[in-house]
Amino acid sequence: MKSVGAAEFKARCLRLIKQMNQDGEPLTVTNRGRPVAILSPVPERARSASIIGAMAGTVLAYDDPLAPAADPSEWASLR
């Protein structure tokens, strides 16, 4: 695992994050030689996860998408 001092991390943060993302190796940030944080890349599966389109392909068939979900006689407001 790579290790870098806090001052160097602060100065080269974006470059270090980009490098970590490319090689997939976690990075330990130290302060006076003691580890204070571990930065690790997000797993590939989590990168592509999105709420948009998450349910795509899950509806196999439907007869009438504009029909009410329940029979109107069952609606409480009509009684």
Side-chain angles (χ1 to χ4, degrees):
M1 184 181 310
K2 296 179 185 178
S3 181
V4 64
E8 182 181 353
F9 179 77
K10 182 179 177 183
R12 299 179 43 208
C13 178
L14 296 177
R15 188 177 312 133
L16 291 168
I17 289 173
K18 184 177 180 180
Q19 181 182 1
M20 179 196 59
N21 191 33
Q22 290 173 347
D23 63 21
E25 188 177 347
L27 178 69
T28 301
V29 180
T30 62
N31 188 11
R32 298 180 187 212
R34 292 185 168 192
V36 292
I38 297 176
L39 188 64
S40 62
V42 175
E44 192 65 38
R45 184 172 151 245
R47 290 182 197 173
S48 61
S50 172
I51 188 92
I52 299 172
M55 300 294 290
T58 59
V59 177
L60 302 177
Y62 50 86
D63 296 328
D64 185 2
L66 302 176
D71 188 82
S73 65
E74 297 174 358
W75 296 354
S77 63
L78 294 178
R79 291 185 188 172

